[in-house]
Amino acid sequence: MSELDRRSLLKMGAAAIVGTVIGNGITLYAAPANAGEAAAAAGGNALEVPPKGKARWGMVIDNNKCTAQCTACTAACRAENNVPVFGDERYDGHWIRKVTLTPERGGPEKHLPLLCNHCDQPPCQHVCPVAATFTRHDGIVMIDKHRCIGCRYCMIACPYKARTFVFKETTEWTNKDVPKRAHGVVEKCTFCAHLIDQGKLPACVEACGKSGEAAMLFGDLNNPESAIVKYIRAVATKGVREDLGLEPKVFYTGI
Amino acid sequence: MNAKGSIAIAITLVALIAAPLLYTAAGNGLFTKPPAPQLAKAVNATECVEPAGWMRANHMNLLTHQRDLIVREGERGRKYRIEGCATCHTKRAEFCDRCHSYAGAKPECFDCHYLP
């Protein structure tokens, strides 16, 4: 997408109405543009963090905006969290990855970023034999790598393939404030919990707003006034494999 | 053979077997105390978060306890944390590693956490 197009898109994000084309001649009018999206579009990354135990973080990904070529979110995630690329797909870690969906009945392909859905009923946590995977007070499902024994039950349990095993340690630090992972543990998206604790947006959301297509919206699902709740109330959203009853907290529009 | 003779033979045998072992051990410095590790001075502060002697014995317990609070409860910015060590002990090879190798301790902290 050219620079001019992106600018106009950002303007759209800041305007009162966001319209998205979901099919031939069908335009979806979303909720009024809100603080979160406007802040993301403007490049700000402030996040209002409620007191401990009150928040329930969630994400909306507008798949009508997300494009095949854009890798802003995945690149930002790798840089922030020291997720390496070795050039060998057997060893590469993936906290967020772009997935291509091809409809069986034909039609355009969809490209969506898939990350840990931070389920309310996380199967990975239920199967963990050493209680290394846990749900934080704000609903983020995390791995305590100090405890993880690397048995990989959780990788089998996760229907989103959100977890990867650290077969090979990286030696490069792209962000020295965040620990890397030693060989023999399982790693996955943390919703950038270290940034949330500092009142900042996750790296992928910030990158998507800054250099991507501004397709991601992050916020508190418990707060009825938050941008994300208003958006979900106004626009039809869907989780990936909602039929499994895991209650994922990452919602998609346009899939 | 009388008792005196058998004792003398036993002592001679033990001496013969032990001599090369002791000689090698002495050559490898097993009978001399190794020099105490020379640790780099801390910078940026004159006092540690707790008295130095106490820290020498207990710093690992502090870190293991606090790490659970930080990871599981998200209580960041605590008084004791591994990044805090690095603010004063800026050279891991000249501080942490020297004492750890002297004591034969093999902590796994630095597999994941960045200390320069």
Side-chain angles (χ1 to χ4, degrees), chain B residues 52-61:
Chain B
W54 191 90
M55 285 300 287
R56 223 165 275 147
N58 298 306
H59 64 283
M60 65 298 277
N61 301 335

Side-chain angles (χ1 to χ4, degrees), chain A residues 52 131-132 134 136-137 142-144 146-147 169 173 176-182 193-194 197, chain B residues 63-64 67-76 82-83 108-116:
Chain A
K52 191 178 171 183
F134 62 99
R136 244 166 61 124
H137 57 82
M142 271 176 72
I143 308 168
D144 188 346
H146 301 123
R147 277 187 85 111
E169 284 177 38
W173 295 86
K176 285 165 181 162
D177 297 330
V178 177
K180 62 187 179 71
R181 272 73 46 193
H194 60 287
D197 291 340
Chain B
L63 292 173
T64 47
R67 78 181 187 193
D68 290 347
L69 292 173
I70 292 170
V71 173
R72 300 215 164 219
E73 306 293 330
E75 295 179 10
R76 283 167 210 279
I82 195 164
E83 293 84 3
E108 292 166 340
C109 311
F110 312 120
D111 291 356
C112 302
H113 292 273
Y114 180 80
L115 264 79

Side-chain angles (χ1 to χ4, degrees), chain A:
Chain A
M1 181 173 276
S2 73
E3 188 65 28
L4 195 69
D5 282 345
R6 191 192 304 155
R7 266 198 205 127
S8 61
L9 198 80
L10 296 185
K11 271 185 200 161
M12 269 175 66
I17 299 287
V18 181
T20 44
V21 180
I22 59 168
N24 289 341
I26 308 169
T27 304
L28 188 68
Y29 286 99
N34 38 59
E37 198 169 11
N45 62 345
L47 184 69
E48 196 184 324
V49 182
K52 191 178 171 183
K54 302 284 184 195
R56 187 168 161 267
W57 300 115
M59 189 187 282
V60 169
I61 298 174
D62 187 347
N63 214 46
N64 301 306
K65 289 182 186 171
C66 190
T67 57
Q69 302 83 17
C70 177
T71 54
C73 54
T74 53
C77 178
R78 288 187 185 283
E80 175 67 29
N81 294 303
N82 300 314
V83 187
V85 182
F86 295 111
D88 186 338
E89 63 183 17
R90 291 176 299 172
Y91 303 137
D92 289 349
H94 297 286
W95 287 24
I96 178 168
R97 59 205 165 93
K98 294 292 283 284
V99 176
T100 304
L101 304 181
T102 314
E104 286 181 351
R105 291 167 292 178
E109 286 184 340
K110 297 278 185 185
H111 305 274
L112 72 155
L114 193 62
L115 65 159
C116 173
N117 279 245
H118 297 274
C119 311
D120 279 349
Q121 308 290 335
C124 51
Q125 182 182 346
H126 296 169
V127 300
C128 182
V130 294
T133 299
F134 62 99
T135 306
R136 244 166 61 124
H137 57 82
D138 48 7
I140 297 176
V141 179
M142 271 176 72
I143 308 168
D144 188 346
K145 279 94 170 184
H146 301 123
R147 277 187 85 111
C148 180
I149 56 170
C151 72
R152 285 168 271 176
Y153 281 150
C154 53
M155 288 173 62
I156 301 165
C158 177
Y160 304 107
K161 212 176 167 185
R163 294 171 163 246
T164 40
F165 184 74
V166 183
F167 280 105
K168 211 170 161 182
E169 284 177 38
T170 174
T171 49
E172 287 176 21
W173 295 86
T174 48
N175 182 3
K176 285 165 181 162
D177 297 330
V178 177
K180 62 187 179 71
R181 272 73 46 193
H183 168 257
V185 299
V186 173
E187 60 178 344
K188 74 165 191 75
C189 160
T190 61
F191 261 174
C192 284
H194 60 287
L195 292 180
I196 292 174
D197 291 340
Q198 297 168 28
K200 291 179 186 170
L201 283 172
C204 56
V205 181
E206 201 199 336
C208 191
K210 264 185 187 168
S211 54
E213 314 288 349
M216 285 173 160
L217 182 58
F218 185 84
D220 182 6
L221 296 172
N222 271 354
N223 179 4
E225 297 303 312
S226 70
I228 186 167
V229 170
K230 284 179 181 169
Y231 190 89
I232 289 172
R233 280 188 181 156
V235 185
T237 55
K238 204 177 159 192
V240 177
R241 288 307 304 271
E242 266 183 335
D243 55 317
L244 295 172
L246 306 174
E247 299 173 39
K249 290 203 276 287
V250 178
F251 303 91
Y252 293 85
T253 62
I255 60 166

